[in-house]
Amino acid sequence: DAKTTQPNSMESNEEEPVHLPCNHSTISGTDYIHWYRQLPSQGPEYVIHGLTSNVNNRMASLAIAEDRKSSTLILHRATLRDAAVYYCILRRSGGSNYKLTFGKGTLLTVNP
Amino acid sequence: NAGVMQNPRHLVRRRGQEARLRCSPMKGHSHVYWYRQLPEEGLKFMVYLQKENIIDESGMPKERFSAEFPKEGPSILRIQQVVRGDSAAYFCASSPSPGESYEQYFGPGTRLTVT
């Protein structure tokens, strides 16, 4: 399975944009890029996903490199509530793609 | 629309006792997944169930662990003769389908402590 690499931690100030990077140099053509986040003492929460094109939703934006070997989750204006561990996950089309493989993720700290 | 519900939220068991963890999926979801998160680690897939069927239990320890999702009622993860190493947070997730474009909705988890 293709692997993802994320920084262990990042820090941001409230109301500033945050760019969370993810490297996935061995991604295959049928892998979707998913992002989940886990707030303290809670279960993971879906954030966004994409395949090739950039994606926007009410929570965030996902920018995918042209060669798909990396992606960036963008929080446009961080709030204290966005402090969480963010996981970048690859999900292959078909087969056992129901298994989400969580790495250590990036711990985002948001300063007031 | 209520989200995924898990109970109990916290469970303390002594070594050798049984632990039963319950998960009620979101309304309309017939696919349930269990994950385990050991301290300071990421979540690890354990088992995937549909109503009355275990589809994939490749992530579940071969002994002492079992899971079910009956026709009526919640999904149950059962751990027999618990040991200290079973102490972890157990999360249940549900989805309408296992397809790659479907997100999984997670419950708040059950934190099991074995003393």
Side-chain angles (χ1 to χ4, degrees):
Chain A
D1 284 342
K3 194 177 169 182
T4 62
T5 305
Q6 300 177 252
N8 289 335
S9 61
M10 290 185 66
E11 208 167 317
S12 172
N13 295 321
E14 203 174 6
E15 301 200 359
E16 290 184 356
V18 181
H19 290 232
L20 296 161
C22 180
N23 287 322
H24 27 78
S25 57
T26 59
I27 191 170
S28 79
T30 55
D31 285 339
Y32 283 76
I33 302 159
H34 284 244
W35 284 80
Y36 280 74
R37 71 180 185 181
Q38 187 174 19
L39 278 64
S41 300
Q42 295 189 30
E45 173 187 33
Y46 167 83
V47 178
I48 199 167
H49 78 276
L51 184 62
T52 55
S53 304
N54 294 345
V55 185
N56 299 297
N57 66 19
R58 63 176 178 80
M59 287 180 72
S61 295
L62 177 59
I64 301 173
E66 199 168 329
D67 63 5
R68 302 215 319 131
K69 292 184 186 301
S70 65
S71 61
T72 302
L73 179 70
I74 302 166
L75 306 179
H76 295 286
R77 289 181 68 207
T79 68
L80 296 178
R81 198 197 171 278
D82 291 322
V85 178
Y86 287 78
Y87 299 98
C88 170
I89 296 168
L90 301 182
R91 291 185 73 178
R92 184 149 297 174
S93 176
S96 59
N97 58 15
Y98 45 81
K99 292 183 192 178
L100 295 179
T101 302
F102 291 82
K104 296 239 172 114
T106 297
L107 174 62
L108 175 66
T109 302
V110 180
N111 301 314
Chain B
N1 187 11
V4 177
M5 299 175 68
Q6 290 188 250
N7 66 80
R9 293 292 307 276
H10 299 273
L11 183 60
V12 179
R13 284 287 177 265
R14 287 199 291 270
R15 278 178 298 171
Q17 291 185 318
E18 178 180 289
R20 277 186 179 237
L21 288 61
R22 294 175 196 78
C23 167
S24 296
M26 283 185 71
K27 188 176 180 181
H29 288 188
S30 58
H31 302 262
V32 166
Y33 319 84
W34 286 92
Y35 292 82
R36 177 167 68 174
Q37 186 171 34
L38 294 168
E40 308 301 321
E41 291 190 18
L43 282 78
K44 297 282 190 275
F45 168 83
M46 297 181 74
V47 62
Y48 160 38
L49 310 104
Q50 291 181 32
K51 285 284 187 182
E52 300 184 278
N53 287 305
I54 297 174
I55 307 302
D56 181 351
E57 56 183 347
S58 60
M60 204 147 69
K62 295 281 187 285
E63 297 179 355
R64 302 187 297 108
F65 285 71
S66 62
E68 62 177 12
F69 189 15
K71 189 176 179 182
E72 302 290 340
S75 174
I76 306 283
L77 180 67
R78 183 180 176 208
I79 311 172
Q80 294 178 290
Q81 298 175 311
V82 296
V83 300
R84 288 233 170 96
D86 296 332
S87 295
Y90 292 82
F91 293 96
C92 162
S94 73
S95 75
S97 161
E100 68 278 353
S101 60
Y102 284 103
E103 60 186 276
Q104 291 182 11
Y105 295 80
F106 283 81
T110 294
R111 278 148 187 86
L112 172 65
T113 302
V114 179
T115 62

